Amino acid sequence: MIKDYFLNEIETAIEKAIKDGKLGEMKEYTRGTLSTERPKNVDFGDFAINVSSLARHARIAPPMIANTIVSYIVPEDNEYSVIGGFINFKTGKTLLKNTVAEIFKKDKNYGKPEKVKTEKIILEYVSANPTGPFHIGHGRWAAMGSVLANLLKFYGHEVYQEFYINDAGSQITKLGNSLAIRVRQQLGEDIDFPTDETERKNFYPGDYLIPVAKKYIEINKLTSLATCGRGNECEGYFDAKRLSDFAKAEMERLQKELLENFRVHFDNFYSELTLHKSGKVEECVQKLKDSGKIYQKDGADWFKSSDYGDDQDRVIKKADGSNTYLTADIAYHIDKLERGFDRMINIWGADHHGYVARVKASIEALGYDPNKLEILLGQLVNLVINGNEVRMGKRKNMVTLDDLIEEVGVDATRFWMAMRNIDTTLDFDIELAKTNSDENPVFYVQYAHARACSILRNATEEKLNTETGEKTPAPLSKTELDELINSYNPETILPTIESAKKLILKLEEYKSMIKMSAETRQVYTICRYVQELASEFHSFYNANRVISDDKEMMKARLALVVAVKKVLNNALDILAVTAPERM
RNA sequence: GCGUGUGUAGCUCAGUUGGAUAGAGCGUUUGGCUACGAACCAAAAGGUCGGGGGUUCGAAUCCCUCCACGCGUACCA
């Protein structure tokens, strides 16, 4: 990376200067103490390093230090200048030229780090209950998770994507009971969910179970309740487990279908139920008991999570003998570790914040390293309709992810869900996401890609004058364009290198953006970057005509267009947003 | 109350780990197509970085303290 090159030049110079005793009382320099930054004012340079912090050790004024350091540097065709304690750097043609060449050479792998400590990562996200359709909040985790998976894979890690199905516990009973009511309704019985609020909480009164009920009736060939005479097999169709199993399977099917449609691909759906059946949950409880971390109180078993930094101890087996949600979750995380993953990354909604400490505590209590678990807490999503916030989380007014995608499309939904810092509450404005105007960043970016494609098409197409019927030959033959791309010569870009400097630097920034994004797990930086790159490209396009009579200039600019297209493609691939050829 | 996140331009948000005159997009105003897609570009106006203290050469950034809002604070999942 150019900034690393610059930093290395400076650090080498400092070491030489110290050796010569030119930096006053400074006797040694440890690499990494200085870092590059972006100058506030673009006129200063492309990158800058502030050496003021060395003044304390050297006991020399910062400008003097800066000048001394610069005097030890061979600038090649780059430019170094000193203002106060800042050393500014202007990138020369060689580095710019090499950047474009690198894009052509590495192509799909442009931006992938050379050497990186790769890990075997299990990324868990969405993990919704199979009790209903996804709401828009799930959409945020789905989008962010899948982008993060793509990014980490690109970065070099081995990533295994998993969805934990909460298919055990009381909510499944609730689901079965709710389906029973819907089925009876469909069969003509005058029955409805309780109106009393506390009783109603034992049901899922949403409409989404109606089609499920219809399907249940159809498959089982039920005609009416009346035909279920006493003693015949009809009762069997209202068996609680039979109903809940059916509803659960149906919900899972719909969820999986939606995820695929939303370009989210899990390697595995891990059922909580199988975890119980395998005996792994009991095994974990036993291990905790053996290590003396369990005690009894009020008829329940408590885990001493407070020994490991949790606020208080947690119940692990209720007084009625059943397990809590946490119990299975402990076993699940231990199972992940036993499957040999170096790192577990979970994306959880901020409403699960209280769970972090207790799960980490359990991992530590069982003798594993809690630092292997990295939990990304995402703030929730607010839906904005006509400028008014519609709070999510409440069952009423629930907008499903399905509805949202149908309304605004997969591309826009993915982009909007991924474009904000995970720490901020996301306002999803449906009207804005739907527009095809400048207000919508997705279209802005896609337009840049379509524009690049369009230029490349025009370069090799003959032009027809509609009035005279006259044909002008194509500015460039297809073979020439193929040759330009496939056996790219680094010198090609030179004619336009001055006018394209900002754009090339932005292309170069892709590498540091990827690094930063992968290391901080913040995927929104990719969305920002892609907008910035599109902006630089549009700007370049308006200022410089690509197709012209000056063939060398045209080739230079076409090469740049190809480079932009490649990088946009790579970035959009990670976002799993389409890069259209035409719009 | 405690824990946690947020507070930056009219709106939505960045701010690369403490540095130069505070940065974008939208919105507003002005200008740019008989030329590669104007779904675009160029420019202007717009700020007490929630308030108040502190740390130091230097703070939107670190510490303290208030204020406002979201989320959590179950033997629910």
Side-chain angles (χ1 to χ4, degrees), chain A residues 88-106:
Chain A
N88 293 307
F89 178 86
K90 283 188 182 172
T91 314
K93 289 180 183 173
T94 312
L95 288 171
L96 294 172
K97 182 181 82 177
N98 292 345
T99 296
V100 178
E102 190 185 346
I103 295 169
F104 275 89
K105 191 176 159 209
K106 300 233 177 107

Side-chain angles (χ1 to χ4, degrees), chain A residues 196-434:
Chain A
D196 177 75
E197 271 203 36
T198 35
E199 280 186 53
R200 202 178 169 87
K201 277 185 183 155
N202 294 319
F203 294 92
Y204 293 109
D207 291 344
Y208 61 87
L209 283 176
I210 295 173
V212 180
K214 284 181 178 161
K215 194 167 174 184
Y216 187 75
I217 288 166
E218 195 192 321
I219 285 178
N220 291 305
K221 300 192 171 62
L222 303 180
T223 45
S224 74
L225 280 170
T227 61
C228 300
R230 204 173 266 284
N232 69 17
E233 61 185 14
C234 198
E235 274 307 305
Y237 294 117
F238 286 96
D239 176 68
K241 189 168 181 314
R242 187 167 182 172
L243 283 161
S244 61
D245 279 353
F246 184 85
K248 198 168 76 179
E250 196 61 16
M251 288 301 125
E252 279 182 40
R253 190 182 62 76
L254 291 170
Q255 288 184 352
K256 286 178 183 175
E257 203 177 283
L258 172 57
L259 288 169
E260 278 303 311
N261 180 32
F262 198 45
R263 303 176 198 141
V264 178
H265 312 291
F266 284 100
D267 294 299
N268 190 30
F269 288 82
Y270 195 111
S271 152
E272 180 188 344
L273 211 55
T274 62
L275 196 60
H276 286 99
K277 284 182 182 161
S278 68
K280 281 180 182 162
V281 178
E282 280 310 313
E283 210 175 290
C284 271
V285 172
Q286 195 54 49
K287 272 188 197 158
L288 282 171
K289 276 184 181 164
D290 293 347
S291 61
K293 292 299 171 190
I294 305 278
Y295 64 91
Q296 283 218 318
K297 196 179 90 180
D298 304 332
D301 287 353
W302 294 71
F303 165 45
K304 278 187 183 166
S305 56
S306 61
D307 283 3
Y308 302 95
D310 196 3
D311 299 341
Q312 48 172 290
D313 294 341
R314 306 292 170 180
V315 170
I316 217 162
K317 193 176 279 284
K318 299 183 230 171
D320 69 3
S322 62
N323 289 320
T324 58
Y325 176 75
L326 174 66
T327 321
D329 224 20
I330 293 172
Y332 176 47
H333 284 88
I334 297 304
D335 180 65
K336 285 186 192 173
L337 286 166
E338 283 176 348
R339 277 187 273 162
F341 291 104
D342 304 320
R343 183 169 295 278
M344 303 179 277
I345 301 180
N346 294 3
I347 299 181
W348 284 357
D351 51 341
H352 285 69
H353 158 254
Y355 255 77
V356 178
R358 63 192 82 164
V359 172
K360 286 202 174 218
S362 68
I363 291 172
E364 198 177 344
L366 288 166
Y368 294 92
D369 180 6
N371 293 322
K372 286 188 170 182
L373 175 62
E374 207 178 292
I375 294 176
L376 309 179
L377 284 176
Q379 297 299 314
L380 306 177
V381 182
N382 287 326
L383 195 60
V384 177
I385 298 173
N386 300 324
N388 297 313
E389 270 186 21
V390 179
R391 289 236 178 283
M392 295 312 292
K394 300 281 163 248
R395 288 284 160 189
K396 297 175 207 164
N397 295 331
M398 189 176 82
V399 175
T400 66
L401 183 57
D402 249 323
D403 295 341
L404 185 71
I405 292 172
E406 193 174 322
E407 191 92 346
V408 308
V410 173
D411 284 339
T413 308
R414 286 190 64 94
F415 197 93
W416 279 72
M417 287 298 187
M419 73 188 275
R420 294 284 179 240
N421 188 319
I422 193 166
D423 288 334
T424 67
T425 313
L426 175 73
D427 284 328
F428 196 109
D429 190 322
I430 289 198
E431 300 307 315
L432 225 56
K434 263 162 69 179

